[in-house]
Amino acid sequence: MARSTEKDSEQAFLLPLRDCPPESGHVSESSPRPNKRSNLRQLLALALLTILTFGGIARDVWMKSHRTEDILPWNPEKAARKVLASSPVIDGHIDLPILVRSYYANNASAFDLHDNMPGHVDIPRLKTGQVGGFFWSAFVACPDWAGYDDGEDFLNSTWRVRDTLEQIDISRILISKYPDTFQQALTTQDIKAAIKKGKIASLIGVEGGHQLGNSIAVMRQFYALGVRYVTLTHTCHNAFADSCGTLPEKWGGLSPLGHSLIDEMNRIGMLVDLSHTSDNTARQALKYSKAPVIWSHSSARAVHTHERNVPDDILAMIGRGEGKKDAVVMVNFAPDFVADPGKADLSAVADHVEHIAAIAGRKHVGLGSDFDGIGSTPEGLEDVSKYPALIVELINRGWKRPELEGLTGKNLLRVMEGAEYVAKHLQETGMAPVYDLYDKRTDLPRRSGSEL
């Protein structure tokens, strides 16, 4: 039987109306006498016509308020894959370069990223996890971790700048070695272009101010080599700021040179990363920076107590309103930061995502796994192939597509665009490079420009 159209149905429902009596209410002898059954038929017809009409209007309103592409499959696994297909993960912190240093002495010919690598990251697993980009961490440990003593004023040579350059070098070599997979990215437009081409956008981050050798000029040169964020501290204090480690504070947050460093980072477009910093450093930097900031790999202290995690009072400083600073906190997967021993799992990581979103807003949370930089992983998030499982968990908790797309990468892109805008404005308005020197240095004359 052929299915009637909606228009045909409406006409059919209208037919009984032809039997209605004249407007005068007089019933002629030739007119059929109305009865209760015909009146009931007419009322039903009107009711159904009304339902069809208003149902169509409601449908049109709903369709206009919901983009077709926002509608996800009912199956959470399929929904997660659809989200990641259009907005793949951009991870704020992956330590593949330090794994390559530790296992292979930075010899890129000694392994193949297409094979199963010893840590959490390789090309097949990146593709399974629908990764669209990540920051390659150019990390070298604090001097005391490496058996050096840089002294009370951080002046003793510890080879940290040399070793950082080697980590930038191996990152760039690996990005170039696998051009079918990776593409270097320096700007948000580069990231979007790489993802559009099906490549993994590759950026570099330097994980600690101790890697700058007390020098703002070194930071500028790192930027020239492709670095796009510097973490102000690692587990040690440095000439710029206090770390969240267990040592007593040295500066009470940012040092005078730390303020100058942020000025220059803002001017050139280097992201200020507040992971690993003390709470005072984070508070001061959040207020002082002209540009949006990031936490490249930190979780929520209210969910699990750890000095590396961000407390609620700092999360409350994040936002777009008056007195707040735009930022993104990218959740770390390290089990010690996530939950008590033996309790770190995918659900616990999702708890951190939700808590940060509840305090700072869902536009201010991202993912910074710390893969290849952590000794163990949460159950269910064992490597880079598992990102879709986290998206499934959040879908089951009621997260909508635009919120998930923000989490996977768009929140980070917005913050980067903000930093790029600030840098462009500062340069166009004539801000000069920052030449401030660390006041403990004795190797350079400390004279102002007017004295030269």
Side-chain angles (χ1 to χ4, degrees), residues 90-396:
I90 305 174
D91 194 305
H93 192 90
I94 285 181
D95 274 303
L96 177 60
I98 196 65
L99 181 140
V100 170
R101 185 183 188 90
S102 302
Y103 276 78
Y104 307 107
N106 281 356
N107 182 351
S109 66
F111 60 93
D112 189 341
L113 283 177
H114 289 107
D115 296 336
N116 185 33
M117 290 289 286
H120 312 125
V121 184
D122 51 47
I123 289 172
R125 285 183 285 179
L126 285 166
K127 292 182 176 180
T128 299
Q130 293 180 269
V131 177
F134 65 89
F135 278 88
W136 300 58
S137 176
F139 166 72
V140 294
C142 284
D144 58 343
W145 281 24
Y148 298 120
D149 178 10
D150 57 348
E152 181 181 356
D153 295 320
F154 320 111
L155 293 176
N156 296 341
S157 175
T158 61
W159 305 109
R160 301 293 81 185
V161 173
R162 178 201 67 183
D163 296 348
T164 301
L165 287 169
E166 290 178 349
Q167 294 311 102
I168 295 171
D169 178 66
I170 190 60
S171 298
R172 290 165 59 97
I173 286 173
L174 291 173
I175 293 166
S176 299
K177 184 178 179 180
Y178 301 94
D180 291 340
T181 300
F182 303 119
Q183 181 171 313
Q184 185 181 27
L186 303 177
T187 66
T188 52
Q189 290 305 312
D190 290 345
I191 296 171
K192 293 173 184 177
I195 291 173
K196 188 174 182 180
K197 290 165 61 177
K199 305 291 183 68
I200 296 175
S202 298
L203 304 99
I204 300 172
V206 165
E207 193 184 358
H210 67 284
Q211 298 177 233
L212 302 182
N214 308 324
S215 172
I216 293 173
V218 168
M219 187 274 297
R220 275 193 291 268
Q221 293 310 299
F222 285 171
Y223 184 89
L225 292 171
V227 174
R228 286 301 177 266
Y229 77 63
V230 172
T231 315
L232 295 188
T233 69
H234 194 250
T235 58
C236 50
H237 303 331
N238 57 54
F240 307 101
D242 288 336
S243 165
C244 72
T246 58
L247 296 173
E249 284 191 328
K250 180 178 180 66
W251 306 109
L254 292 171
S255 73
L257 192 66
H259 287 88
S260 299
L261 177 69
I262 290 176
D263 286 337
E264 186 65 356
M265 293 174 78
N266 289 170
R267 188 188 73 86
I268 66 176
M270 182 80 83
L271 286 167
V272 176
D273 177 22
L274 301 179
S275 286
H276 285 284
T277 63
S278 72
D279 291 348
N280 281 334
T281 297
R283 292 185 189 101
Q284 293 167 20
L286 195 58
K287 290 180 179 179
Y288 186 75
S289 177
K290 298 178 182 66
V293 303
I294 68 169
W295 279 260
S296 65
H297 57 308
S298 295
S299 297
R301 195 176 300 174
V303 177
H304 182 66
T305 302
H306 194 289
E307 65 269 15
R308 273 290 315 283
N309 292 340
V310 187
D312 280 1
D313 74 289
I314 294 178
L315 291 176
M317 297 170 67
I318 296 170
R320 304 293 294 275
E322 185 177 353
K324 297 193 176 189
K325 181 67 53 63
D326 194 12
V328 60
V329 181
M330 310 184 79
V331 173
N332 192 319
F333 296 176
D336 288 348
F337 305 160
V338 170
D340 292 336
K343 296 183 179 180
D345 59 14
L346 181 150
S347 179
V349 172
D351 290 343
H352 285 269
V353 172
E354 291 222 278
H355 184 82
I356 293 167
I359 304 299
R362 291 190 176 185
K363 293 183 179 294
H364 302 283
V365 62
L367 301 176
S369 64
D370 214 354
F371 280 138
D372 275 356
I374 50 180
S376 60
T377 57
E379 182 180 351
L381 288 171
E382 289 80 8
D383 56 51
V384 291
S385 71
K386 304 296 186 179
Y387 295 112
L390 180 58
I391 305 307
V392 169
E393 175 70 16
L394 293 168
I395 288 172
N396 288 333

